[in-house]
Amino acid sequence: MSILYYTLNNVVFTNFALYSTASIAKMMCMGAFTLTKRFSQDAFANPEDLTLARHHSSVVTTNDPDVERVRRNHLNDIENIVPFVLVGFFYVATNPNRDIAYWHFRIFFISRLIHTVCYQMPLPQPGRFLACAVGYLTTLSMALQVLFSTRP
C-alpha cells in the first residue's frame, strides 16, 4: 500500500502548504510593491508606460534607487522562495519528523519576512545577510535530508 504524503490529512504537508503559500503570497506582494513604488516615483522602465505617469516631464528610467531596492528585494525572494517550495515538495515525501518539519517551514517564512524588513527600512548589515542566510540554510537542510534519504 502506498502512502499519500500530499493530502490535507498529512499534517506535515498541511503545514508546508500553509508556509509555502504564505511565502509565495509574500513574493507576489513584492511585485505589487514594486509597481506601487514605480507609480509613486514616476519611474517607468518602458516608454509606453509613460502615459501612466503623473508628471508629463517623466522619462524612462531603470535606475531609480527606491524602485531598484524593492526590485532587488523581489528578485531575492524569487531566488530563495522558488527553491524552498521545490525542495519542500521532495522533503515532505521523505516523511520527516513533524516537529522538525514545522520548524523548517516556520523559520524559512519568518526569515523571509525579516529579510524584507531589513531590506526596505533599510537596517544596517549584517541583519539582512543573516536573515537571508537563515532561510538559505533552512532550504539547504531540507535538501540534504532529501538527498540522504534517496540514496540507493
Side-chain angles (χ1 to χ4, degrees), residues 18-26 81 84 103-115 135 138:
L18 171 70
Y19 286 103
S20 62
T21 302
S23 297
I24 291 169
K26 182 246 179 264
I81 292 172
F84 168 77
W103 281 107
H104 275 88
F105 306 151
R106 289 176 187 142
I107 288 169
F108 179 83
F109 180 67
I110 291 167
S111 76
R112 295 313 305 166
L113 293 177
I114 293 170
H115 178 267
T138 302

Side-chain angles (χ1 to χ4, degrees), residues 25-152:
K26 182 246 179 264
M27 181 175 63
M28 293 171 67
C29 286
M30 293 307 296
F33 188 34
T34 304
L35 181 66
T36 301
K37 201 55 104 164
R38 282 194 186 283
F39 275 100
S40 71
Q41 304 290 14
D42 272 351
F44 298 100
N46 300 302
E48 63 272 15
D49 297 338
L50 291 176
T51 59
L52 303 171
R54 289 177 296 152
H55 303 99
H56 296 294
S57 60
S58 298
V59 295
V60 171
T61 182
T62 57
N63 61 358
D64 182 88
D66 295 330
V67 173
E68 288 305 303
R69 176 171 286 278
V70 177
R71 207 177 61 70
R72 286 190 307 270
N73 193 172
H74 186 203
L75 180 60
N76 189 275
D77 272 354
I78 293 167
E79 292 169 348
N80 286 275
I81 292 172
V82 171
F84 168 77
V85 172
L86 293 174
V87 169
F89 270 108
F90 296 120
Y91 178 68
V92 169
T94 67
N95 197 21
N97 175 283
R98 184 186 73 193
D99 294 328
I100 293 172
Y102 287 174
W103 281 107
H104 275 88
F105 306 151
R106 289 176 187 142
I107 288 169
F108 179 83
F109 180 67
I110 291 167
S111 76
R112 295 313 305 166
L113 293 177
I114 293 170
H115 178 267
T116 297
V117 169
C118 290
Y119 214 134
Q120 295 308 314
M121 291 208 54
L123 297 177
Q125 288 287 19
R128 187 176 81 224
F129 168 77
L130 291 173
C132 189
V134 165
Y136 181 85
L137 292 172
T138 302
T139 302
L140 183 61
S141 170
M142 293 189 314
L144 290 173
Q145 289 178 64
V146 170
L147 290 172
F148 290 134
S149 69
T150 57
R151 289 188 326 191

